[in-house]
């Protein structure tokens, strides 16, 4: 990718950031909602960890921190929707995707850049306030070293790419399905269950725990959380996340190629 292409995708990312920055009322409502749900989950976790201390290897402060990290990253990683996928699926359904394919830009990189811009805004606009609220009013386990925070941010960036890779595959299913609602809802359910949004994946017992921790969704919340909480080493976590990111992007490229051939066959 040349300098010109790099500037193009940087401009697309900046456009994605500015686009979501215009929705100030929606952002404020999202901050309020995340904070309220965070409170509900925190008191549930406090009761659970009081009954089962050190459940999943976390103490109570770590469990509370995990809750607020989840609320901070929910919109950032579009675990429950709200990303680019609905728009892309609609463009596929209406045939407007043909315009995208004629652009002098790579389709996958274009949407990746736009989604990274969206994710960065959500991280700054919706994640900081609920997390800060939780850190002020509840006992949390946060590192003091700047290096730990830097490693956490790298893990979050890799989580953004993994999240995009999963949702890009979901969006591309619209080339074969008349209605992608079912696939989207299944992806949301998998994301909530397998990322750790409901419970930390360390809590899951036996083979089930091993399986969910090996799936790509664990890169989205569990991996960054464990880096911040000091429960996992940064190099190994980065390698795990990067491996899934590359695999999903490569698979998305293959599916995109097949879908593009389908458009040509259909005369689109």
């Amino acid at each position: 990718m040349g300098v010109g292409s790099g500037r193009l995708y940087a401009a697309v990312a900046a456009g994605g950031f500015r686009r979501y920055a215009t929705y100030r009322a929606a952002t404020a409502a999202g901050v309020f909602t995340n904070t309220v749900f965070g409170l509900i989950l925190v008191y549930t976790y406090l009761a659970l960890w009081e009954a089962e201390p050190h459940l999943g290897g976390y103490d109570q402060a770590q469990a509370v921190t995990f809750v607020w990290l989840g609320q901070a990253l929910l919109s950032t990683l579009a675990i429950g929707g709200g990303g680019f996928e609905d728009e892309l699926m609609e463009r596929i359904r209406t045939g407007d995707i043909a315009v995208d394919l004629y652009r002098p830009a790579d389709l996958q990189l274009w949407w990746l850049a736009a989604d990274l811009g969206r994710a960065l805004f959500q991280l700054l606009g919706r994640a900081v306030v609920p997390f800060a609220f939780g850190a002020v009013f509840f006992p949390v386990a946060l590192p003091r070293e700047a290096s730990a925070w830097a490693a956490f941010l790298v893990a979050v960036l890799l989580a953004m790419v993994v999240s995009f890779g999963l949702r890009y595959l979901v969006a591309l299913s619209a080339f074969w399905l008349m209605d992608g609602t079912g696939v989207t809802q299944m992806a949301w359910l998998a994301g909530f269950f397998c990322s750790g949004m409901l419970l930390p994946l360390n809590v899951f017992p036996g083979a089930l725990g091993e399986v969910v921790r090996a799936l790509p969704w664990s890169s989205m919340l569990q991996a960054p959380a464990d880096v911040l909480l000091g429960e996992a080493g940064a190099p190994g976590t980065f390698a795990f996340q990067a491996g899934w990111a590359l695999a999903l992007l490569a698979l998305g490229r293959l599916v995109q190629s097949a879908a593009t051939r389908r458009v040509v066959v259909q005369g689109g």
Side-chain angles (χ1 to χ4, degrees), residues 3-267:
V3 175
S5 297
R7 290 176 179 173
L8 170 64
Y9 297 121
V12 173
F17 185 98
R18 289 193 300 269
R19 175 183 177 183
Y20 281 85
T22 60
Y23 302 124
R24 297 178 183 177
T27 299
V31 169
F32 176 78
T33 301
N34 288 139
T35 304
V36 170
F37 274 97
L39 288 170
I40 295 171
L41 285 173
V42 159
Y43 285 111
T44 303
Y45 273 43
L46 287 174
L48 182 59
W49 258 261
E50 185 175 348
E52 293 287 341
H54 299 287
L55 181 63
Y58 289 166
D59 60 27
Q60 199 173 67
Q62 288 176 311
V64 169
T65 307
F66 191 93
V67 169
W68 292 112
L69 282 175
Q71 293 306 304
L73 296 180
L74 176 62
S75 297
T76 301
L77 303 178
I79 296 174
F84 72 96
E85 56 273 22
D86 289 339
E87 181 180 356
L88 179 52
M89 294 177 86
E90 179 63 16
R91 293 185 68 82
I92 294 171
R93 189 187 67 81
T94 61
D96 290 339
I97 190 66
V99 177
D100 299 337
L101 293 173
Y102 274 110
R103 286 175 180 157
D106 181 82
L107 183 69
Q108 187 184 51
L109 290 178
W110 177 283
W111 287 99
L112 173 59
D115 195 59
L116 288 177
R118 176 208 60 79
L120 180 59
F121 171 77
Q122 298 288 20
L123 181 64
L124 298 175
R126 277 185 69 167
V128 173
V129 173
F131 188 77
F133 175 88
V136 169
F137 292 101
F138 293 91
V140 292
L142 299 177
R144 297 182 178 180
E145 301 82 7
S147 59
W149 286 99
F152 167 70
L153 292 177
V154 172
V156 170
L157 178 60
L158 289 170
M160 292 177 184
V161 181
V162 172
S163 172
F164 168 82
L166 287 166
R167 289 178 290 116
Y168 191 67
L169 290 170
V170 170
L172 291 181
S173 69
F175 278 105
W176 288 271
L177 301 175
M178 293 296 294
D179 185 359
T181 303
V183 176
T184 302
Q185 292 177 345
M186 289 175 61
W188 292 350
L189 289 173
F192 272 98
F193 183 80
C194 298
S195 69
M197 279 301 304
L198 297 180
L199 278 173
L201 301 184
N202 298 340
V203 173
F204 292 5
L208 175 61
E210 294 178 5
V211 169
V212 293
R213 287 191 293 271
L215 295 175
W217 290 276
S218 67
S219 298
M220 294 165 59
L221 173 56
Q222 188 69 52
D226 278 342
V227 168
L228 187 68
L229 294 172
E231 294 293 321
T237 301
F238 295 163
F240 175 77
Q241 291 179 293
W244 270 119
L246 291 173
L248 290 168
L249 291 176
L251 180 58
R253 179 74 59 178
L254 291 174
V255 176
Q256 174 186 312
S257 178
T260 303
R261 289 196 299 270
R262 180 179 177 84
V263 170
V264 172
V265 169
Q266 290 180 338

